[in-house]
Amino acid sequence: MTGGTMIATEKDLRSLYAPAKERAVKKQLTSLDHHCKRFVALSPFVVLATSDAEGNMDASPRGGEPGFVKVLDDHTLILPDWSGNNRLDTFGNIVATGRVGMIFFVPGVDEAFRVNGKAGLRRDEAFTSLCEVNGRFPKLVLHVTVKEAYLHCAKAIMRAQLWAQDTRVDRKVLPTMNEMLKDQIGQMEPAEPQELMVARHKTELYSNK
């Protein structure tokens, strides 16, 4: 769709909206209080937002048992890296820019929690040892120094009805991951059935390869 009017300046953008409420401005913290720490401790899922040196963006989901992201102090979080696709998009961006944005979710809670901060990658045993799962340790951890932290209101998750049981979609409405990839990249070998893929993933959840 082409044509229409694009918003080209911040002044034009601001003219469409009322000023931010005082509470929305003041809620942004520069460290983690006990509410922030509790939210992180309950969260099994976080999305990491990064960019490369040219500003190309990436968002990557990370998950684990609640509290898999560790709070070391009022200004520091660490997140273990377990097996993935080895593209290293997120980590490559962090090496390039040293910055990350994080948004934490807790199933059943409509609010979310956001962190922006300075980021680096560490493989020191002092950090990896804090993230042990079933006798396994991550190859490295994402080390985040918190610069901004704030609770996000419930409206987006309420609109999505994200946690409502009656909005859940049967997995069968989509082809399996491997069937979709076969169409997209032209793989010739038979697509792996969904049940086998899930079973395989379960054995690899805490691999550090």
Side-chain angles (χ1 to χ4, degrees):
M1 199 172 174
T2 58
T5 303
M6 295 288 289
I7 303 299
T9 68
E10 184 171 352
K11 181 179 179 181
D12 290 341
L13 173 64
R14 292 289 179 185
S15 71
L16 298 175
Y17 294 88
K21 294 180 180 179
E22 182 180 17
R23 186 176 75 167
V25 176
K26 286 186 173 181
K27 71 178 182 178
Q28 181 173 308
L29 308 176
T30 57
S31 61
L32 304 172
D33 70 357
H34 65 287
H35 297 299
C36 300
K37 294 175 183 178
R38 179 63 172 156
F39 206 106
V40 173
L42 291 171
S43 175
F45 185 74
V46 61
V47 177
L48 306 180
T50 59
S51 72
D52 64 17
E54 286 71 48
N56 299 300
M57 299 299 300
D58 183 73
S60 178
R62 302 298 167 102
E65 293 293 324
F68 77 104
V69 177
K70 310 296 183 186
V71 179
L72 300 191
D73 55 46
D74 292 353
H75 297 275
T76 312
L77 300 170
I78 61 170
L79 181 153
D81 183 55
W82 299 108
S83 64
N85 56 26
N86 288 342
R87 285 176 53 110
L88 304 181
D89 298 317
T90 297
F91 289 168
N93 289 344
I94 287 170
V95 168
T97 68
R99 294 289 184 268
V100 70
M102 312 173 78
I103 182 163
F104 292 86
F105 299 91
V106 175
V109 175
D110 286 338
E111 291 76 21
F113 174 57
R114 297 174 66 167
V115 168
N116 297 318
K118 182 179 178 181
L121 307 176
R122 306 199 65 151
R123 58 179 182 176
D124 319 46
E125 185 178 351
F127 294 101
T128 59
S129 64
L130 299 175
C131 302
E132 178 268 337
V133 176
N134 299 327
R136 296 181 176 181
F137 300 89
K139 183 175 296 185
L140 54 77
V141 301
L142 171 63
H143 182 279
V144 179
T145 302
V146 176
K147 299 299 183 184
E148 300 171 349
Y150 56 97
L151 293 166
H152 201 293
C153 82
K155 290 178 182 175
I157 293 178
M158 289 174 65
R159 292 186 191 108
Q161 300 182 66
L162 192 60
W163 313 126
Q165 289 297 315
D166 58 359
T167 64
R168 291 177 64 88
V169 174
D170 189 322
R171 180 62 186 82
K172 294 179 181 177
V173 303
L174 286 171
T176 69
M177 175 75 160
N178 286 287
E179 287 169 341
M180 289 187 279
L181 288 176
K182 183 178 179 181
D183 289 341
Q184 291 176 341
I185 64 179
Q187 286 183 321
M188 299 304 294
E189 63 268 19
E192 183 181 29
Q194 183 74 13
E195 294 79 9
L196 291 181
M197 185 200 70
V198 171
R200 177 171 55 81
H201 282 345
K202 285 182 178 179
T203 69
E204 300 171 345
L205 289 179
Y206 293 102
S207 168
N208 60 8
K209 296 180 180 179

